[in-house]
Amino acid sequence: MKNIYKLLGLFILVSSTYSCGKDDLNLAPLSQIGDNAFYQNDEEIEGAVIAIYDGLQEVPMREFALTEMRSDNAKSKSREGDWAQFESFSVKSTNVAIVNYWRANYNVIFRANVVLKNIEVVQDGAKKNQYAAEARFVRALSHFNLVRAYGDVPLLDKVVTPTDSDYAAYLAKTPAADVLTFIQTDLEFAAANLPSKASASFGRATMAAAQGLLAKVYLTQGNYAAAQPLLTQLVANNQYALQAAYSDVFYSEKNNEILFAIPYTNDDVNESQDFSFEMTQGGQVSGLNFVTDDLAGAIDPADVERKPVLINPLDPKANAKFLTTSGNARLCGNDWIVLRLADVLLLHAEAIMAGQSETASVAAIKSYNLVRARVGLSTLPENGTAKLTKQMLMDERRIELAFENHRLYDLIRFGEAQNVLSNYATNTAVSFSPTDLLLPIPQAEINVSGGALLQNPGY
């Protein structure tokens, strides 16, 4: 069919073939099927489920520019071209990276909606619930990416075509609060119907992944009471554990610290990525997502385990978290970690702190201490005499999760973005305003919406 999802730049790509082994998720090249394809059995629906994950591989490609490079963590090597717009808080609505990110996420949502549209052909009840849960998990993840990046965005809960009577309504923005509520509903279903880690192939959604993402959505909504029991359950889940060495989280993949990751394969033209090259070696002439002086100065000199992973010892301007072992520098196989246990532990402390400036909770301090003890740093007493402050928690999240695309959204969630980024902008001789916390809606999408999609304030 022609013109379907013209606004959202989507292609009708769903897979009729798949390969999914016990120990891995093989995202094989897709065959192209039009929207008029008829899904007839369990196998074809699972093929469409695998196609969702294949589409998800596009999302992290330049996500770092929209997140880390709009914080005090990262910059381009020489402030050149469109990439400099992110570090100077001057992103234009024509910036290619924001267009591609918008389209990549809506492509994933479309693929998920194709599965849900055809889910009733699945005869096995357990499989039907699992496939629906996987589709709803990834649909929620992509909507969450979009609402945090752009604010109010179109919410797509079904496959929409230009011939549908409500087509125009779907082109308009939905308030961010309503999008978050929709995401919450998807994740609640996913958490109730996804398998455990032991029963799932790496790279496919699990119950714990849905619980962790749902908890983060609750925290984004300020619903600490709903987030805390989920995070407490995850902290106690013995299927997950911190890696003994911080570097092993990234250099020894498919480890037990990871709740959800997007897998890639070295030197495979279809299954590789190049963000590792951009971050660690310096592509695009200048190099992207490199270390700011501000981040380098925030690393404790005693933090000898994390520093060489965050800062390349051979190039102190480059980060080292995604150093590649690929033969082709631009065909990298480093997986992208979406959610891991260290993140969960610090979210657990955040939920207990519940928006306050500090907490004396032993449970919160224990979670915080586990992250610090892993890298040999000092910890707080766990006897009720110590207090964990919001600043300590923010600082720990900044270093532990640097270059994993959390910093900007952490600052927003903690209510500190305007203060921190205004100071950072002043120190780096750029201009920052509160409207810079949201990206502009891509102008190309506004142009084809017939006036239904409106630009964000400040652009």
Side-chain angles (χ1 to χ4, degrees):
M1 293 182 67
K2 296 181 180 179
N3 297 324
I4 289 181
Y5 278 7
K6 181 179 180 183
L7 167 69
L8 305 172
L10 302 183
F11 298 98
I12 303 170
L13 296 172
V14 289
S15 175
S16 64
T17 59
Y18 67 92
S19 175
C20 183
K22 170 67 178 172
D23 299 321
D24 200 7
L25 179 67
N26 181 5
L27 299 174
L30 299 177
S31 59
Q32 297 188 7
I33 303 178
D35 190 54
N36 59 344
F38 182 65
Y39 294 88
Q40 298 181 347
N41 55 49
D42 296 16
E43 183 178 83
E44 290 179 352
I45 292 296
E46 183 165 20
V49 171
I50 301 304
I52 304 173
Y53 293 109
D54 186 277
L56 194 59
Q57 286 183 315
E58 291 299 315
V59 172
M61 290 299 183
R62 296 297 179 267
E63 188 178 55
F64 61 81
L66 285 64
T67 52
E68 293 291 308
M69 288 176 63
R70 289 170 61 227
S71 79
D72 48 358
N73 274 2
K75 61 181 181 179
S76 64
K77 195 172 183 180
S78 59
R79 288 190 170 183
E80 295 181 351
D82 277 6
W83 305 108
Q85 295 175 18
F86 295 102
E87 62 186 299
S88 62
F89 305 107
S90 59
V91 183
K92 292 179 170 52
S93 62
T94 54
N95 187 291
V96 173
I98 69 163
V99 175
N100 289 342
Y101 191 67
W102 176 281
R103 292 175 176 174
N105 278 289
Y106 277 116
N107 182 24
V108 171
I109 291 167
F110 170 72
R111 294 178 186 219
N113 283 336
V114 167
V115 169
L116 294 169
K117 177 182 178 180
N118 295 280
I119 197 68
E120 292 305 319
V121 306
V122 179
Q123 298 299 307
D124 184 304
K127 283 185 177 180
K128 179 189 292 185
N129 285 340
Q130 178 184 334
Y131 297 158
E134 288 184 85
R136 293 181 71 171
F137 170 83
V138 184
R139 182 172 71 175
L141 174 60
S142 282
H143 273 114
F144 194 43
N145 290 338
L146 289 161
V147 77
R148 290 191 296 173
Y150 303 95
D152 300 347
V153 292
L155 190 160
L156 298 183
D157 60 357
K158 66 176 185 177
V159 174
V160 183
T161 75
T163 59
D164 293 336
S165 61
D166 55 357
Y167 177 72
Y170 274 91
L171 304 187
K173 290 180 179 180
T174 298
D178 294 340
V179 178
L180 287 169
T181 298
F182 176 78
I183 292 167
Q184 174 188 322
T185 302
D186 264 358
L187 291 174
E188 288 170 345
F189 179 88
N193 290 281
L194 285 170
S196 67
K197 175 178 180 289
S199 302
S201 300
F202 183 83
R204 294 183 74 161
T206 64
M207 178 189 302
Q211 290 172 328
L213 187 59
L214 177 57
K216 189 167 286 190
V217 171
Y218 283 141
L219 291 176
T220 301
Q221 295 169 309
N223 191 347
Y224 304 104
Q228 186 175 333
L230 284 172
L231 294 164
T232 299
Q233 183 177 346
L234 287 173
V235 168
N237 189 330
N238 60 15
Q239 294 186 79
Y240 299 93
L242 294 178
Q243 291 295 285
Y246 181 72
S247 60
D248 285 347
V249 179
F250 313 100
Y251 306 151
S252 179
E253 296 186 328
K254 304 178 186 178
N255 59 74
N256 287 333
E257 185 164 335
I258 298 171
L259 277 72
F260 185 69
I262 300 170
Y264 298 91
T265 304
N266 270 342
D267 301 309
D268 186 315
V269 69
N270 294 302
E271 308 304 329
S272 298
Q273 45 81 2
D274 68 347
F275 60 74
S276 294
F277 171 75
E278 301 293 355
M279 293 182 187
T280 62
Q281 298 184 43
Q284 301 290 340
V285 179
S286 63
L288 304 173
N289 213 36
F290 275 31
V291 185
T292 63
D293 293 341
D294 193 272
L295 175 60
I299 301 174
D300 189 330
D303 199 345
V304 295
E305 186 164 345
R306 288 187 295 201
K307 184 174 182 179
V309 178
L310 300 180
I311 302 177
N312 190 339
L314 300 178
D315 183 354
K317 294 182 179 180
N319 93 60
K321 191 167 272 190
F322 300 96
L323 291 173
T324 182
T325 59
S326 62
N328 186 319
R330 289 189 177 274
L331 295 178
C332 308
N334 311 67
D335 295 344
W336 181 258
I337 300 172
V338 176
L339 190 63
R340 60 185 177 94
L341 183 58
D343 185 10
V344 166
L345 287 165
L346 297 175
L347 291 174
H348 181 234
E350 180 183 340
I352 294 172
M353 192 175 291
Q356 302 302 306
S357 60
E358 60 184 28
T359 180
S361 164
V362 173
I365 289 171
K366 282 184 176 179
S367 288
Y368 170 81
N369 281 349
L370 284 170
V371 176
R372 289 181 62 81
R374 189 252 296 272
V375 293
L377 294 178
S378 61
T379 57
L380 296 172
E382 298 177 4
N383 57 12
T385 64
K387 290 185 178 180
L388 172 63
T389 69
K390 181 173 79 169
Q391 188 63 54
M392 292 164 63
L393 186 55
M394 289 173 57
D395 291 344
E396 192 61 30
R397 286 189 62 83
R398 183 183 189 187
I399 304 306
E400 173 68 26
L401 302 168
F403 305 116
E404 295 178 54
N405 298 352
H406 297 290
R407 175 63 170 171
L408 175 64
Y409 300 139
D410 285 351
L411 290 172
I412 294 171
R413 201 172 59 249
F414 278 99
E416 295 293 335
Q418 184 171 343
N419 179 50
V420 170
L421 297 181
S422 292
N423 289 336
Y424 175 70
T426 298
N427 293 335
T428 53
V430 299
S431 177
F432 170 83
S433 70
T435 56
D436 293 324
L437 294 177
L438 292 179
L439 290 165
I441 303 298
Q443 188 61 46
E445 311 303 330
I446 293 174
N447 291 346
V448 299
S449 73
L453 188 58
L454 302 178
Q455 186 54 273
N456 282 334
Y459 295 99

